[in-house]
Amino acid sequence: MRRGDPPDVIVLDSRFADLVFRGLDRMPAAGEELHGSGFTFRAGGAFNTLLTLRRLGLHVAWAVDFGNDLFSRFVRERALAIGVDDRFFVDHEKSMVSVTCAVVLGEDRAFINYTEPEPLVSAPIRALG
């Protein structure tokens, strides 16, 4: 894969940083604090699709907006580390937090998401334009 080559796939989906807590047998009640036995901080959202496509050997580009916050920087670095083509990355000089907190409860999961507002013309729209 050379930088100028057209990608095999362009992914048009959002990014999330995932905070995953394991080892809980129930959700805490209001005001209660529980301690898990495991924790993972990983790139999520469309990153999972990107990772699969890269493992299949495809040249993958991602049309995505990144802010200057910790979570955006983390996901951006992970995407570059697996060889995602960054030609459609749009970097913004503002916070654009997009985070999921997942709690693994046995065979099930619970999620809490937070996403700051996206730009009016998002990277996927620009990539299609």
Side-chain angles (χ1 to χ4, degrees):
M1 167 181 83
R2 291 189 314 270
R3 177 68 169 89
D5 292 343
D8 298 312
V9 178
I10 302 173
V11 174
L12 307 173
D13 202 357
S14 58
R15 84 257 174 270
F16 280 89
D18 292 348
L19 309 170
V20 183
F21 295 85
R22 290 181 169 64
L24 298 171
D25 57 359
R26 63 184 175 78
M27 293 295 289
E32 180 182 22
E33 182 177 327
L34 297 179
H35 294 271
S37 62
F39 174 78
T40 306
F41 178 41
R42 60 181 305 274
F47 182 84
N48 298 313
T49 302
L50 297 163
L51 183 58
T52 300
L53 294 169
R54 289 293 300 134
R55 286 179 175 166
L56 291 171
L58 296 174
H59 177 181
V60 182
W62 191 10
V64 63
D65 291 284
F66 289 110
N68 61 5
D69 56 277
L70 168 75
F71 299 114
S72 292
R73 288 192 316 267
F74 175 77
V75 174
R76 188 183 199 288
E77 289 168 8
R78 293 301 309 133
L80 292 174
I82 65 167
V84 171
D85 186 328
D86 65 351
R87 75 179 76 189
F88 300 111
F89 285 12
V90 178
D91 295 307
H92 301 271
E93 289 301 318
K94 66 177 186 171
S95 179
M96 292 180 61
V97 170
S98 188
V99 64
T100 296
C101 176
V103 177
V104 179
L105 301 163
E107 297 296 318
D108 207 352
R109 302 167 296 171
F111 301 96
I112 300 171
N113 295 310
Y114 174 75
T115 302
E116 290 180 340
E118 297 285 328
L120 290 177
V121 179
S122 66
I125 298 299
R126 290 179 190 198
L128 294 172

